[in-house]
Structure formats: C-alpha cells, structure tokens
Amino acid sequence: VQRSSNGRDFTNIGQVKGNGFSTVRLTYSFLDTNPMAGTNYYRLEQVDFDGKTEKSKIISMKMAPSAATHSLAVAPNPFSQDITFTITTSQENKALVEIRSGSGVVVLRQEVTLKAGTNTITPSVANLVNGFYIVTVKAPGLNLVQKIVKAN
C-alpha cells in the first residue's frame, strides 16, 4: 500500500500478504493509521511470485485535520489467537480499552496510558470464543470503535 501527498511521489505505508492464485474472489483490507491532513493519494503495488509488479489506479481521500488526529487499527482481523491494537492519538491520555461481545457483555476491560503518537496494545484474548466483538477506546476527547472477529 502506497501513499502520496501530491499524486506523483509515493511511499510505502504498509503491506498485506496475498493468498496466491485463487478462482474465488478474495478481499483484503488495510487501514492508514496516520493519514495526512488534506488530500491523501493511495495506490496498490502488487508483487507476483515471479517478482513482476503491477500498480493499481490512484484514488484520493480528503482528510479533515481532526480526522487525522486519532485512529484505531486492529491486526489481524479476523484473528484466531493473538491480536494487536494500534492506537494513534495526538495527545497523552489515560484511556479505557474495552472489548464487548456481540450481545454487549464486557469481556475485557483494560486501562492504558496513551502517549502522543502511536501506541501498541496486545490484550489477552485467548479466552474469547469464536464470534464478533466490539472494541472501544475511550478517553477525554477520544472515542474509537472497531468491530473484530475471532475465528479459528
């Protein structure tokens, strides 16, 4: 995954491992956890097993300044054993991280101290059963929400 501020000069911002050749449609996702304020240009560069590369068409997204200050990325999602939350924020804060089951029951509650910038949290999720969950990160001026799925 590549990003540019001008639509010409791109830098790599992440990578998603492919599943190889398939006769069925496969979907992939990637979250830019630190978008620039203003217009962000994105493209994909696919690298085949033989080293051949192909670039996608360029798309653009305009980010408001406030939209670029806080984010929550979860990987992998779906997950089977371990999961990592990457929280990006513009200010230091104590935050409450919760995971709720699909029925709304809190299955994990953890207080964390977030520093300005990127923070990584690896919660203990070994006891969770297969299903979908909602992750929330709450602090003064911060309310991030993301759906996650556990599947073995």
Side-chain angles (χ1 to χ4, degrees), residues 15-140:
Q15 184 173 327
V16 177
K17 183 177 168 131
N19 287 321
F21 179 78
S22 176
T23 58
V24 297
R25 182 180 176 151
L26 301 172
T27 58
Y28 302 91
S29 64
F30 179 85
L31 177 65
D32 183 357
T33 59
N34 196 20
M36 300 174 287
T39 302
N40 292 261
Y41 299 89
Y42 296 94
R43 71 179 180 195
L44 302 178
E45 181 180 57
Q46 178 179 316
V47 181
D48 293 338
F49 290 120
D50 63 3
K52 180 182 170 191
T53 63
E54 186 176 332
K55 292 180 174 67
S56 71
K57 71 175 189 168
I58 298 169
I59 63 164
S60 64
M61 296 186 74
K62 191 167 189 168
M63 302 297 290
S66 62
T69 57
H70 307 295
S71 65
L72 169 62
V74 178
N77 191 16
F79 68 100
S80 60
Q81 292 181 348
D82 297 323
I83 193 165
T84 301
F85 301 159
T86 303
I87 303 165
T88 304
T89 182
S90 59
Q91 57 193 10
E92 185 172 318
N93 238 326
K94 286 200 181 286
L96 182 62
V97 176
E98 288 185 341
I99 299 177
R100 293 181 182 270
S101 68
S103 61
V105 175
V106 175
V107 294
L108 180 134
R109 179 176 282 142
Q110 181 177 348
E111 192 170 300
V112 297
T113 299
L114 301 175
K115 62 179 176 33
T118 302
N119 302 267
T120 302
I121 299 169
T122 307
S124 176
V125 293
N127 62 332
L128 299 183
V129 298
N130 288 352
F132 82 91
Y133 297 87
I134 303 295
V135 177
T136 59
V137 180
K138 294 181 182 178

